[in-house]
Amino acid sequence: MSVNFDELLNAGCHFGHLTRKWNPKMAPYIFMERNDIHIIDLNKTAIQLDKATAALKQIAKSGRKILFVATKKQAKDIVAEKISNINMPYVTERWPGGMLTNFPTIRKAVKKMTTIDKMEKDGTFDHLSKREKLQIARQRAKLDKNLGSIADLTRLPAALFIVDVMKEYIAVKEARALGIPVFAMVDTNSDPDTVDFVIPCNDDASTSISLIMDTVCDAIKEGLNERKAEKDKEGDKKPVGKKAEKVNAEAGTEETVEVEEVEETQEATEE
């Protein structure tokens, strides 16, 4: 799904920050200044968004995960709702320090959550005191709040998508340290050099965030659907291929037997 200029305009994607708060590195993406506010060039936003969605689609098609990070109030609910529909991990509460650079420790916390779930199912909980049950339940709720959406993330993500790189600077820093590409909505007060795929736009308005997330989710869905279609196609071909191999093998055996019979007949005739 490609977004046009008018859709970006109606969503308020063009509103930047006050001119005194700008980052000079964002100059190439700024169209003009109005009432002490920078106006973002939406033509460049559309171009950059197309580049980003094309890359995200390919990552999704390859079967790898994209981690979404949005802990600011305007974005967290929008991201949680939209990203849960495409089965991608996301962080909308506080970013756990070392989430990427100390990934094995995060995995241990996730395993702890799984262990508690197992205790509830196998009846271990029934043998605990009321106080112990309460403590474990609180611990489980805390883990779920912070790590619930990344429980299925068994290895480092292939990319990060960030709303507001200034707020999520720790996540950006960790991703860069590990060479993980960063996609981000970048406002006029941010440094675009820290991001691999810059989407210059308003990262404060819920309408702007919602439009960008819809576009990104559509691209990822396309990638996932193409991956599924290719897998189904391969699944249909495999049995036919095996059957053909079997027939060829059997035909080869029959031909060998026939050749051996002819050779034996010739030897008998010569004698």
Side-chain angles (χ1 to χ4, degrees), residues 180-251:
I180 297 171
V182 176
F183 295 73
M185 292 175 66
V186 184
D187 213 327
T188 57
N189 65 336
S190 307
D191 182 1
D193 290 351
T194 61
V195 178
D196 299 281
F197 289 85
V198 177
I199 303 169
C201 66
N202 182 352
D203 64 9
D204 291 313
S206 57
T207 49
S208 173
I209 295 165
S210 187
L211 177 63
I212 299 299
M213 294 313 301
D214 279 336
T215 311
V216 166
C217 287
D218 285 342
I220 292 171
K221 276 179 194 173
E222 275 182 36
L224 293 172
N225 289 336
E226 284 181 19
R227 177 177 170 78
K228 186 177 182 296
E230 284 180 7
K231 277 194 169 184
D232 291 344
K233 200 174 180 182
E234 285 172 13
D236 291 339
K237 281 182 179 178
K238 278 181 184 177
V240 177
K242 285 182 180 177
K243 192 175 179 182
E245 283 172 17
K246 190 177 178 184
V247 170
N248 290 337
E250 287 172 358

Side-chain angles (χ1 to χ4, degrees), residues 242-260:
K242 285 182 180 177
K243 192 175 179 182
E245 283 172 17
K246 190 177 178 184
V247 170
N248 290 337
E250 287 172 358
T253 308
E254 287 170 8
E255 284 172 10
T256 307
V257 172
E258 285 174 9
V259 170
E260 285 174 358

Side-chain angles (χ1 to χ4, degrees), residues 99-114:
M99 163 79 192
L100 301 176
T101 52
N102 197 13
F103 191 67
T105 304
I106 298 295
R107 283 303 305 160
K108 281 180 187 176
V110 172
K111 281 180 183 176
K112 196 169 189 178
M113 199 162 64
T114 310

Side-chain angles (χ1 to χ4, degrees), residues 55-75:
L56 289 166
K57 179 183 171 180
Q58 289 307 312
I59 292 171
K61 190 177 176 181
S62 70
R64 292 173 295 167
K65 294 289 185 182
I66 300 150
L67 177 62
F68 287 78
V69 186
T71 61
K72 68 194 300 180
K73 190 171 73 172
Q74 306 96 305

Side-chain angles (χ1 to χ4, degrees), residues 39-97:
I39 304 299
I40 296 165
D41 187 342
L42 293 181
N43 288 313
K44 290 185 178 177
T45 301
I47 292 167
Q48 292 296 109
L49 183 56
D50 283 345
K51 285 181 185 176
T53 50
L56 289 166
K57 179 183 171 180
Q58 289 307 312
I59 292 171
K61 190 177 176 181
S62 70
R64 292 173 295 167
K65 294 289 185 182
I66 300 150
L67 177 62
F68 287 78
V69 186
T71 61
K72 68 194 300 180
K73 190 171 73 172
Q74 306 96 305
K76 60 195 298 184
D77 291 337
I78 295 169
V79 170
E81 181 191 343
K82 296 184 187 298
I83 302 309
S84 58
N85 293 331
I86 56 172
N87 198 28
M88 287 288 170
Y90 58 89
V91 174
T92 53
E93 296 302 325
R94 186 182 64 85
W95 173 263

